[in-house]
Amino acid sequence: MARVIITHATTYRYGAAVALGPHRLMLRPRETRNLRLLAFDLDITPTAPVDWSHDVAGNAIAWVNMRGVTDTLSIRSRATVDMTAPLWPVFAIAASAAQYPFAYGADDATDLGALVQPQYVDPDARLAAWVAQIVMARPTDTLALLTDISNGITAQIAYQARETEGTQGPLDTLDRGWGSCRDFAVLFAEAARTLGLGARLVSGYLYDPTQVLTGSGVAGSTHAWAEVFVTGAGWIAFDPTNRAVGSGHLIPVAVARNIAQIAPIIGSLHGAAAESVTMDVAVSVETA
């Protein structure tokens, strides 16, 4: 077990005083059977009222109602978690889903809903053709197939850190031959959906005390990966950036159908300096 402290500080500086509108924050780690949240603190300057809720996926949402004007906005979260996920997990996949293709039960199929449907336009089925190169036989082992897709992304696509906002579509990533962790996650999730599997995107943090994982900063880093629902085992984490299966190095914050739904901070502002904004982000993920 590892006890980990995550600090995530974001500072916005505007060219002049602006009026800030409502902000939605997704910074509170998501508790799972392998992750226990011990403490969470949120500091916002200028001080503003905060209301908490949960979205449709069960993510904790902090709604911040800004008042007045300011030329600086600082948002700092600090969380302490216990991580118990094994680095080499064994998944209790149901016999009915051990081999692909398999069919979800009626209730699971209904509840997964849009998570099974591809989210990006692909009129020529190019992504399905790319995945077909990996599915060498049918039936085939389900977990091995998903692992091969994850590894295939890393083998064919070069990792490139990108600080700018936004995420590439899966076809863009294939065409360009490079992408960030969130681009890899989107490509993997969409590939799983072309096979009729339920997949969701995950945002959070990468815990890497040995500094050997791709995408890990010196002090720590935000990260993105995907999960696929497999009957019996439930949601299985796949981190194609690091060719990893399971959540041994992963601290989830939010899950969603679309990567745009789990941005850490979303908000609005009004004023002449609205187009003149600089942003500084500092993330620390350290053993307590």
Side-chain angles (χ1 to χ4, degrees):
M1 182 178 73
R3 180 159 295 181
V4 180
I5 297 175
I6 309 115
T7 303
H8 188 159
T10 305
T11 302
Y12 299 92
R13 294 181 177 87
Y14 311 103
V18 297
L20 297 174
H23 279 57
R24 189 206 70 176
L25 313 182
M26 303 180 81
L27 297 167
R28 188 181 189 273
R30 182 183 174 96
E31 292 195 79
T32 70
R33 67 181 182 276
N34 293 317
L35 187 140
R36 181 184 176 199
L37 180 63
L38 302 179
F40 180 78
D41 297 303
L42 181 63
D43 295 317
I44 301 172
T45 305
T47 302
V50 178
D51 295 315
W52 287 93
S53 67
H54 286 86
D55 66 10
V56 68
N59 302 309
I61 309 294
W63 295 99
V64 184
N65 299 299
M66 304 292 183
R67 296 172 181 172
V69 297
T70 183
D71 60 5
T72 305
L73 171 61
S74 173
I75 300 171
R76 182 180 183 275
S77 64
R78 189 176 189 271
T80 304
V81 301
D82 277 346
M83 301 176 64
T84 60
L87 295 180
W88 303 102
V90 176
F91 301 103
I93 296 174
S96 62
Q99 296 285 309
Y100 176 84
F102 67 89
Y104 290 119
D107 285 340
D108 285 344
T110 298
D111 292 339
L112 287 168
L115 297 178
V116 179
Q117 303 301 318
Q119 301 296 304
Y120 292 82
V121 176
D122 183 10
D124 299 322
R126 291 176 54 206
L127 184 57
W130 179 81
V131 174
Q133 300 173 20
I134 299 173
V135 185
M136 302 304 295
R138 298 184 186 225
T140 188
D141 182 85
T142 300
L143 185 60
L145 168 62
L146 291 168
T147 303
D148 286 346
I149 294 173
S150 177
N151 293 346
I153 292 172
T154 311
Q156 298 183 33
I157 311 296
Y159 173 79
Q160 186 175 112
R162 192 173 73 254
E163 299 300 328
T164 55
E165 295 182 356
T167 304
Q168 297 174 172
L171 296 182
D172 293 330
T173 300
L174 289 178
D175 290 341
R176 294 170 183 172
W178 56 265
S180 66
C181 62
R182 58 187 184 272
D183 302 321
F184 283 18
V186 166
L187 175 55
F188 175 84
E190 198 73 352
R193 289 165 178 163
T194 67
L195 297 175
L197 301 177
R200 62 188 186 185
L201 284 304
V202 191
S203 67
Y205 303 98
L206 185 63
Y207 174 57
D208 182 20
T210 60
Q211 293 291 297
V212 298
L213 299 177
T214 300
S216 178
V218 175
S221 64
T222 57
H223 198 52
W225 60 97
E227 294 178 344
V228 176
F229 189 84
V230 181
T231 307
W235 291 104
I236 300 178
F238 290 86
D239 178 11
T241 302
N242 288 291
R243 297 192 178 197
V245 181
S247 53
H249 292 290
L250 304 173
I251 302 171
V253 169
V255 301
R257 169 183 51 83
N258 190 297
I259 194 76
Q261 296 173 291
I262 48 178
I265 301 174
I266 295 177
S268 62
L269 56 90
H270 309 279
E275 300 300 323
S276 177
V277 183
T278 62
M279 180 179 69
D280 297 315
V281 179
V283 176
S284 172
V285 184
E286 301 176 322
T287 304

